[in-house]
Amino acid sequence: MIKEHYTAPVLQYIPVFYIIWSDDLLSASEINVVENAISNDVSLSSADKKQLKGWLNVKTPPKNELFKSWKQLIINSDVKLIEHETFPLTAFSQKVTSHYHNDISFNDQIKNIEINLGIQPNHYNHLFDVHIDLEKKSSQYSATTIDTILKGEHAEAIDSFRAVLKDPIFSWEVRRNKEEFRNHVLKQVEFLADKGYGAMAYPEAYGGTNDMEGYATIFENMMWADGSLTIKFGVQFGLFGGSIQKLGTKKHHDQYLSATGKSALLGCFAMTETGHGSNVRGIKTTATYNKNTETIIIHTPGKNDNKEYIGNAIHSKMASVFAQLIVNGKNEGVHAILVPLRNKKHELLPGVTVEDNGYKLGLNGVDNGKIWFNQVEVPKDNLLNKYGTILGNGDYYSEIKNPNKRFFTMLGTLVGGRICVARAGLGGAKFALTVAIKHALKRRQFNDSVKIQEDLLMDYPSHQLRLTPLLASAYVYHITLDKMMSLYCDESQPDKRQIETQVAGLKSIITWYANDTIQECREACGGKGYLLENRIADLKGDVDIFTTFEGDNNVLLQLAAKGVLSNFNAEFNSAGFSTVLKLLSSQLSDKLSTINPLYTNKTDKEHLYNPKFHVHALEHRTRRLTYTIAMRIRGYIKKGIPSYQAFLKVQTHLMTLGKAYSAELAYKSFLEHNKAMTNAEYKALFEKLGTLYALHEIRKDASWYLEQGYISGTKSKAIRQRVERLCTELRPHLDSLVDGFGIPDHLMTAPIAN
């Protein structure tokens, strides 16, 4: 009998040794964990300890014959691994030993190895016979607690909103006729307005609660009901109403804001033009002041100068029109003017032409259209004049004398819309992740000659690697967007240029992330993900546009990069290189600390999991890119190349910098949040999510780090292995983590997720 070869205390360690030598990621620090456990195990004799420690030498690992005998010993015990036990490996070892040596007590030292090495069932369930338990078991982490952490101080607003979404009007179903779909979405918007959510971000005097932060948080919750609802809601109350609130003055608030919040006045936000897209400063629509009649004439000068892709265009009575304001023959730059579109009978007013955009890839419940204006006359008071006004004598006046600063100040007030778009995209990604992960926790595929039951999709390392880093990113971006909205709403910080730079970059990487995540989830669900009933197909269409509205991501990344380069000045010009020497000193400091081979080649777990390493790596990338791009631009300008042309030459470099800066900002925001967490157990979980995000981000850009000599090939490989290990360590908690998003059961309508 094999039991004669090993004492009972030694035999308990055999499954542990079988696992750790099956893993090619056994580092010195992990060997130290096992050695300490053996040393502290009072059940082991001196001879037992010597025998066990002899199997821990990486230079002379156990021979194949010994390894096979361990496997046979485990198989002959007929013991099955039970995944849902609190410490499955320790319990498994106890049962295997008990088979050969009668009843054996639970070994706390093996439990410590299981905990400290982060060994999870999916590390080894391919090695052992597994007991398949189809019943859902309680997890180490409570989804309710995680949801509470994510809701933060907005829990009351979010919970009450989720309760409102239980109304049958929000029941999801396939709707393919755009007219019927649009009318249904309009009813949903009016329903929410009646509940007070339309005016939520407005002052109390106009029916609101002045809760812009709470307003942003409900956006992702609304996405779980329907994307078209989310966007139409945002256009009506955020863009149209927001322009009145942020760009108008008290007279506009008194006249229009309450009616807008109640959806009694339906409006649209007419900024983008067919011919000028993201170039707001270059729009062609004019608003010419007539001193004699004290009116403003709104006009579309050319065929392609119309307002394009305007949400709410078919239902609206009024538009907030952005146009070049011309006073006394002088162009004072882009301003917003309220322009009536239709009368009480919903008939178009003279001079106004509206054309339906028709069917789109997604969001067909939103009535997008094109608008032309032919010498449309409105009162002077319709100018939203917070930052620029027309005086009684007919002259233009603004307290902001610099037209560039005035332009960016006006646009800066609308940054909240970009945060809400990112938030909605994140909501779509969370929904898709929940569907894909819950499907993978039930769906079985393939097996080997030993197992009767097929393996769960989520137990395949490749599947974990596809979805788990995306899940970690969702948590990082959630916390980051919460922080950005808090900063945006901070009235003690009136200068919004820095937050505008930050949000421009974050909106870009988060909406791209959302699209990539939804696509990965669609593929991870196979044909089931392609069915409309499982919601991912519509999410693909709905979220796709988020990358180009409220600012094209490619343009916004350049805006973010220019903000970094100019130290958040509104304009970057040839005289703006005063920060180069500071950047140079930072770069030299980085270089001195990274050329050390000990750092470049360091691969132990403690180092790779240390947030200081993550921050250093992400900061180094941003600083290095900032320094090199500044040097390139300065070199071009010294040669006499105009600054605009210089920027074109480094355009792709700018976008790389924008992405790097945004990823660093997101990770630092998440770290800041985690430091304030008081529950040690959940703090550890969030820290693990942050570690996965950071290492995965570094891994994605490994070629750059290798080119710069920041990491060696050995370290790059170690990072890849650690990303895979973290995915498996988080595997037991995936169900709790997606449930922690807080998607209510009545909104999780995808059949494969239930």
Coordinates of all heavy atoms in Angstrom, one line a residue, residues 416-453:
G416 N -19.7 67.9 -18.1 CA -20.6 66.9 -17.4 C -21.2 65.9 -18.4 O -21.4 64.7 -18.1
G417 N -21.5 66.4 -19.6 CA -22.1 65.5 -20.6 C -21.2 64.4 -21.0 O -21.6 63.2 -21.2
R418 N -19.9 64.7 -21.1 CA -18.9 63.6 -21.5 C -18.8 62.6 -20.4 O -18.6 61.4 -20.6 CB -17.6 64.3 -21.8 CG -17.5 65.0 -23.1 CD -16.2 65.7 -23.4 NE -16.3 66.4 -24.6 CZ -15.5 67.5 -25.0 NH1 -14.6 67.9 -24.1 NH2 -15.6 68.0 -26.1
I419 N -18.9 63.1 -19.1 CA -18.8 62.1 -18.0 C -20.0 61.2 -18.1 O -19.9 60.0 -17.9 CB -18.8 62.9 -16.7 CG1 -17.5 63.7 -16.6 CG2 -18.8 61.9 -15.5 CD1 -17.5 64.6 -15.3
C420 N -21.2 61.7 -18.4 CA -22.4 60.9 -18.5 C -22.3 59.9 -19.6 O -22.8 58.8 -19.5 CB -23.6 61.8 -18.6 SG -24.0 62.7 -17.1
V421 N -21.8 60.3 -20.7 CA -21.6 59.4 -21.9 C -20.7 58.2 -21.5 O -21.0 57.1 -21.7 CB -21.0 60.1 -23.1 CG1 -20.6 59.1 -24.2 CG2 -22.1 61.0 -23.7
A422 N -19.6 58.6 -20.8 CA -18.7 57.5 -20.4 C -19.4 56.6 -19.4 O -19.2 55.4 -19.4 CB -17.4 58.1 -19.7
R423 N -20.2 57.2 -18.5 CA -20.9 56.4 -17.5 C -21.9 55.5 -18.2 O -22.1 54.3 -17.8 CB -21.7 57.4 -16.6 CG -22.2 56.8 -15.4 CD -21.2 57.1 -14.3 NE -21.2 56.0 -13.3 CZ -20.7 56.2 -12.1 NH1 -20.1 57.3 -11.7 NH2 -20.7 55.2 -11.2
A424 N -22.6 56.0 -19.2 CA -23.5 55.1 -19.9 C -22.8 54.0 -20.6 O -23.3 52.8 -20.6 CB -24.3 56.0 -20.9
G425 N -21.7 54.3 -21.3 CA -20.9 53.2 -21.9 C -20.4 52.2 -20.9 O -20.5 51.0 -21.2
L426 N -20.0 52.6 -19.7 CA -19.6 51.7 -18.7 C -20.8 50.8 -18.2 O -20.6 49.6 -18.0 CB -19.1 52.5 -17.5 CG -18.6 51.7 -16.3 CD1 -17.5 50.7 -16.7 CD2 -18.1 52.6 -15.1
G427 N -22.0 51.4 -18.2 CA -23.2 50.7 -17.8 C -23.4 49.6 -18.9 O -23.8 48.4 -18.5
G428 N -23.2 49.9 -20.2 CA -23.4 48.9 -21.2 C -22.4 47.7 -21.0 O -22.7 46.5 -21.2
A429 N -21.1 48.1 -20.7 CA -20.1 47.1 -20.5 C -20.4 46.2 -19.3 O -20.2 45.0 -19.4 CB -18.7 47.8 -20.3
K430 N -20.9 46.8 -18.2 CA -21.2 46.0 -17.1 C -22.3 45.0 -17.4 O -22.3 43.9 -16.9 CB -21.7 47.0 -15.9 CG -20.6 47.7 -15.3 CD -21.1 48.6 -14.2 CE -20.1 49.4 -13.4 NZ -20.6 50.2 -12.3
F431 N -23.3 45.4 -18.1 CA -24.4 44.5 -18.5 C -23.9 43.4 -19.3 O -24.2 42.2 -19.0 CB -25.5 45.3 -19.2 CG -26.8 44.6 -19.3 CD1 -27.8 44.9 -18.4 CD2 -27.0 43.6 -20.2 CE1 -29.0 44.2 -18.5 CE2 -28.2 42.9 -20.3 CZ -29.2 43.2 -19.4
A432 N -23.1 43.7 -20.3 CA -22.5 42.6 -21.1 C -21.6 41.7 -20.3 O -21.7 40.4 -20.5 CB -21.7 43.2 -22.3
L433 N -20.8 42.2 -19.4 CA -19.9 41.4 -18.6 C -20.8 40.4 -17.7 O -20.4 39.3 -17.5 CB -19.0 42.2 -17.8 CG -17.8 42.8 -18.4 CD1 -17.2 43.9 -17.6 CD2 -16.8 41.7 -18.8
T434 N -21.8 41.0 -17.2 CA -22.7 40.2 -16.3 C -23.3 39.0 -17.1 O -23.3 37.9 -16.6 CB -23.8 41.0 -15.7 OG1 -23.2 42.1 -14.9 CG2 -24.7 40.2 -14.8
V435 N -23.8 39.3 -18.3 CA -24.4 38.2 -19.1 C -23.3 37.2 -19.5 O -23.6 36.0 -19.3 CB -25.0 38.9 -20.4 CG1 -25.4 37.7 -21.4 CG2 -26.2 39.8 -20.1
A436 N -22.2 37.7 -19.9 CA -21.1 36.7 -20.4 C -20.6 35.9 -19.2 O -20.3 34.7 -19.4 CB -20.0 37.5 -21.1
I437 N -20.3 36.5 -18.1 CA -19.7 35.8 -17.0 C -20.7 34.8 -16.4 O -20.4 33.7 -16.0 CB -19.2 36.8 -15.9 CG1 -17.9 37.4 -16.5 CG2 -18.9 36.1 -14.6 CD1 -17.3 38.5 -15.7
K438 N -22.0 35.2 -16.2 CA -23.0 34.3 -15.7 C -23.2 33.1 -16.6 O -23.5 32.0 -16.2 CB -24.3 35.1 -15.4 CG -24.2 35.9 -14.1 CD -25.5 36.5 -13.7 CE -25.5 37.2 -12.4 NZ -25.3 36.2 -11.3
H439 N -23.2 33.4 -17.9 CA -23.3 32.3 -18.9 C -22.1 31.4 -18.7 O -22.3 30.1 -18.7 CB -23.3 32.9 -20.3 CG -23.3 31.9 -21.4 ND1 -24.3 31.0 -21.6 CD2 -22.4 31.7 -22.4 CE1 -24.0 30.2 -22.6 NE2 -22.9 30.6 -23.1
A440 N -20.9 31.9 -18.6 CA -19.7 31.1 -18.5 C -19.6 30.3 -17.2 O -18.9 29.3 -17.1 CB -18.5 31.9 -18.6
L441 N -20.4 30.7 -16.2 CA -20.4 30.0 -14.9 C -21.5 28.9 -14.9 O -21.6 28.1 -14.0 CB -20.8 31.0 -13.8 CG -19.6 32.0 -13.4 CD1 -20.1 33.0 -12.4 CD2 -18.4 31.3 -12.8
K442 N -22.2 28.8 -16.0 CA -23.2 27.7 -16.2 C -22.9 26.8 -17.4 O -23.1 25.6 -17.3 CB -24.6 28.3 -16.3 CG -25.1 29.0 -15.1 CD -26.6 29.4 -15.3 CE -26.8 30.2 -16.6 NZ -28.3 30.5 -16.8
R443 N -22.4 27.4 -18.4 CA -22.2 26.7 -19.7 C -21.0 25.8 -19.6 O -19.9 26.2 -19.2 CB -22.0 27.7 -20.8 CG -21.7 27.1 -22.2 CD -23.0 26.5 -22.8 NE -22.9 26.4 -24.2 CZ -22.3 25.4 -24.9 NH1 -21.8 24.4 -24.2 NH2 -22.2 25.4 -26.2
R444 N -21.2 24.5 -20.0 CA -20.0 23.5 -19.9 C -19.6 23.2 -21.4 O -20.5 23.1 -22.3 CB -20.4 22.3 -19.1 CG -20.7 22.6 -17.7 CD -21.0 21.4 -16.8 NE -21.2 21.8 -15.5 CZ -20.2 21.9 -14.6 NH1 -19.0 21.7 -14.9 NH2 -20.5 22.3 -13.3
Q445 N -18.3 22.9 -21.5 CA -17.8 22.6 -22.8 C -16.6 21.7 -22.7 O -15.7 22.0 -22.0 CB -17.5 23.9 -23.5 CG -17.0 23.8 -25.0 CD -18.2 23.7 -25.9 OE1 -18.9 22.7 -25.9 NE2 -18.4 24.8 -26.7
F446 N -16.5 20.7 -23.4 CA -15.4 19.7 -23.5 C -15.1 19.0 -22.2 O -15.6 19.4 -21.1 CB -14.1 20.5 -24.0 CG -14.3 21.1 -25.4 CD1 -14.3 22.5 -25.5 CD2 -14.5 20.4 -26.5 CE1 -14.5 23.1 -26.7 CE2 -14.7 21.0 -27.7 CZ -14.7 22.4 -27.8
N447 N -14.3 18.0 -22.3 CA -13.8 17.3 -21.1 C -12.6 16.4 -21.5 O -12.2 16.4 -22.6 CB -14.9 16.5 -20.5 CG -15.4 15.4 -21.4 OD1 -15.0 15.3 -22.5 ND2 -16.3 14.5 -20.9
D448 N -12.1 15.7 -20.5 CA -11.1 14.7 -20.8 C -11.6 13.3 -20.6 O -12.7 13.1 -20.3 CB -9.8 15.0 -20.0 CG -10.0 15.0 -18.5 OD1 -10.9 14.3 -18.1 OD2 -9.3 15.7 -17.8
S449 N -10.7 12.4 -20.7 CA -11.1 11.0 -20.6 C -11.4 10.5 -19.1 O -12.0 9.5 -18.9 CB -9.9 10.0 -21.1 OG -8.8 10.3 -20.3
V450 N -11.1 11.4 -18.2 CA -11.4 11.0 -16.8 C -12.7 11.5 -16.3 O -13.5 10.9 -15.7 CB -10.2 11.6 -15.8 CG1 -10.6 11.3 -14.4 CG2 -8.9 11.0 -16.2
K451 N -13.0 12.8 -16.7 CA -14.2 13.4 -16.2 C -15.5 13.0 -17.0 O -15.4 12.8 -18.2 CB -14.1 14.9 -16.2 CG -13.0 15.4 -15.3 CD -12.9 16.9 -15.4 CE -11.7 17.5 -14.5 NZ -11.6 18.9 -14.6
I452 N -16.5 12.9 -16.3 CA -17.8 12.6 -17.0 C -18.5 14.0 -17.3 O -18.9 14.2 -18.4 CB -18.8 11.8 -16.0 CG1 -18.1 10.5 -15.7 CG2 -20.1 11.7 -16.7 CD1 -18.9 9.6 -14.7
Q453 N -18.4 14.9 -16.4 CA -19.0 16.2 -16.6 C -18.0 17.1 -17.4 O -16.8 17.0 -17.2 CB -19.3 16.9 -15.3 CG -20.6 16.7 -14.7 CD -21.7 17.5 -15.4 OE1 -21.5 18.1 -16.4 NE2 -22.9 17.5 -14.8

